[in-house]
Amino acid sequence: MNKTIALIPGDGIGPEIVEQAVKVLNAIAKKFSHTFTYETVDMGGIAIDKWGEPLPKAMLEKCLASDSVLLGAVGGPQWDSMPGHLRPEKGLLALRSAMGLYCNLRPATLWPQLAAASPLKDISQGIDFVVVRELIGGIYFGSHTTELVEGQPVATDIMRYSESEIRRIGKIAFETARKRRKKVTSVDKANVLDTSRLWRKIMHELAQEYPDVEYSDMLVDNAAMQLVKAPHQFDVLVTENMFGDILSDEASMLTGSIGMIPSSSMGEGTRGLFEPIHGSAPDIAGKDLANPVGTILSAAMMLRYSFGMEQEATTIEQAVSTVLDKNFRTSDTMAEGCTQVSCSQMGDAIASACC
Ligand code: NAD
């Protein structure tokens, strides 16, 4: 198969980790006789510096013309004081919106080899769930204003959800659960928010259409606690944009390191955006220290969900497992008796384990 992949290295550790994913994709292309053509896209801080905006139109068009998009991360302290429209993450929000990517899947799986890296004491029952996060609605996409009221600044952010936005993400959660352990937990704040009350009503309607799936509601504050107390109870967690953002970061840490977790963002078609869930980690950028596994596993998700390459995706996941079995670890997951490797050495090891 011939596929064009838009690559967005971005900022901070982004270029280092995307380079490792490309090594792995090239190994897969060779093994399975595919041709992957890469189009590099500037987005985020690098695009602000080079082009004066976080997602120039020509760059967005490259993404829309590709078969799928792989992203490292964007952002960094040097752009923190920029005005709102010139923030690196504006590029990412604009890209998600322009590609219609309303569904964000974030698996949280504990690799048995990394059990010691989990901060939880009792993980004997394992951790294996997926957060299905709504991605282009809610408070991140409502209007944001700051105005002077009676002499003092007052800030307002609008949170809005329509029935159709809730229903389409809900359906994905139930369909995902059908392929897993058939359990959906919907997370909201229905004791306070109108958006959550509508969310809950639609989820209950959907639950009637999926009688084979066990369904429950959970308030977001309780969900934050339950993730730490008994993470094994979850199979599919479905939630709105901001709650999903926060809970999936919490979930990632339970599995040992934020550097291990991939994500996919998809809309109606097969083209998606695949990225690790972490940010640009400015504290370790340029030091060849970052863990590239989240990005490499994101590339595996891209092969599976965008290109229908199941065997190729499994080959990458098995290669990661093989390398962890050899006790190779980047610094974030380093443990006694293991060999510490750099970001690029980890990429080399996984690429060669794919062959
Ligand atoms: P972060 O995820 O970049 O880093 C948090 C901590 O995790 C840091 O200590 C970092 O060193 C560590 N870490 C992250 N990824 C790692 C990896 N692959 N290997 C090893 N350690 C890793 O979050 P932050 O510090 O809050 O944000 C830094 C910048 O990233 C900010 O500008 C923020 O806006 C941006 N950000 C971007 C995205 C994105 O591009 N999708 C997501 C979150 C944050």
Side-chain angles (χ1 to χ4, degrees):
M1 260 191 234
N2 288 348
K3 295 287 177 192
T4 302
I5 300 170
L7 286 182
I8 311 182
D11 309 313
I13 59 170
E16 300 164 53
I17 53 180
V18 166
E19 191 186 325
Q20 309 318 313
V22 169
K23 283 180 192 167
V24 172
L25 284 169
N26 287 341
I28 291 292
K30 196 167 170 204
K31 180 172 175 144
F32 292 91
S33 304
H34 299 306
T35 304
F36 297 143
T37 308
Y38 305 105
E39 279 283 348
T40 303
V41 170
D42 293 332
M43 188 180 86
I46 186 182
I48 296 172
D49 291 351
K50 268 170 91 172
W51 310 103
E53 50 180 322
L55 181 61
K57 196 160 168 268
M59 296 294 159
L60 171 62
E61 275 163 8
K62 277 194 194 183
C63 294
L64 295 176
S66 70
D67 294 306
S68 213
V69 184
L70 183 68
L71 163 71
V74 295
Q78 59 270 57
W79 300 284
D80 278 354
S81 54
M82 295 275 195
H85 69 287
L86 279 185
R87 298 290 301 261
E89 57 272 29
K90 278 278 164 166
L92 182 54
L93 294 181
L95 180 64
R96 288 172 178 164
S97 180
M99 290 177 70
L101 308 173
Y102 62 83
C103 175
N104 183 215
L105 292 190
R106 294 181 161 204
T109 312
L110 180 73
W111 293 79
Q113 300 96 326
L114 293 189
S118 173
L120 299 187
K121 271 187 265 161
D122 181 14
I123 42 168
S124 53
Q125 295 184 74
I127 301 174
D128 182 13
F129 62 88
V130 181
V131 178
V132 178
R133 168 189 171 197
E134 200 292 324
L135 200 59
I136 53 174
I139 202 161
Y140 293 175
F141 282 85
S143 64
H144 312 286
T145 53
T146 305
E147 56 191 341
L148 269 186
V149 178
E150 292 170 3
Q152 65 168 329
V154 175
T156 310
D157 300 290
I158 301 290
M159 184 162 181
R160 183 183 176 278
Y161 268 109
S162 68
E163 174 174 336
S164 57
E165 284 172 329
I166 299 170
R167 195 173 294 280
R168 68 183 179 183
I169 191 77
K171 275 192 172 164
I172 291 186
F174 281 96
E175 292 294 337
T176 305
R178 270 195 173 155
K179 294 183 208 132
R180 296 175 47 96
R181 301 195 307 278
K182 297 191 172 58
K183 197 174 167 192
V184 167
T185 308
S186 170
V187 175
D188 62 35
K189 189 72 184 169
N191 52 344
V192 178
L193 301 176
D194 262 35
T195 44
S196 282
R197 284 190 272 272
L198 180 61
W199 180 278
R200 196 174 273 209
K201 177 174 172 282
I202 307 300
M203 290 297 161
H204 282 207
E205 285 172 18
L206 280 171
Q208 303 292 315
E209 293 171 27
Y210 292 85
D212 52 320
V213 176
E214 186 187 333
Y215 175 83
S216 60
D217 303 299
M218 191 174 279
L219 293 175
V220 62
D221 34 357
N222 186 26
M225 187 178 76
Q226 294 296 334
L227 277 173
V228 176
K229 192 175 163 204
H232 58 267
Q233 70 185 285
F234 296 116
D235 178 23
V236 174
L237 270 162
V238 60
T239 191
E240 62 88 48
N241 200 345
M242 181 171 62
F243 298 160
D245 192 7
I246 298 166
L247 290 181
S248 56
D249 264 28
E250 181 189 353
S252 71
M253 206 47 233
L254 304 180
T255 66
S257 170
I258 197 169
M260 294 293 296
I261 313 283
S263 81
S264 77
S265 304
M266 310 243 347
E268 296 301 342
T270 56
R271 193 197 308 112
L273 172 66
F274 298 85
E275 53 176 319
I277 72 157
H278 57 75
S280 59
D283 51 336
I284 54 167
K287 297 181 181 162
D288 203 14
L289 276 178
N291 185 344
V293 172
T295 317
I296 289 169
L297 292 173
S298 299
M301 287 183 99
M302 178 176 72
L303 298 184
R304 175 174 290 124
Y305 295 125
S306 275
F307 305 159
M309 298 178 180
E310 180 60 39
Q311 207 189 335
E312 290 82 340
T314 309
T315 301
I316 295 179
E317 287 154 359
Q318 282 169 352
V320 169
S321 192
T322 303
V323 169
L324 293 178
D325 279 340
K326 287 185 182 159
N327 285 335
F328 287 177
R329 302 281 188 274
T330 44
S331 58
D332 56 317
T333 48
M334 189 56 194
E336 222 182 295
C338 295
T339 308
Q340 187 169 329
V341 294
S342 65
C343 176
S344 49
Q345 286 169 328
M346 192 58 144
D348 289 339
I350 296 170
S352 67
C354 283
C355 299

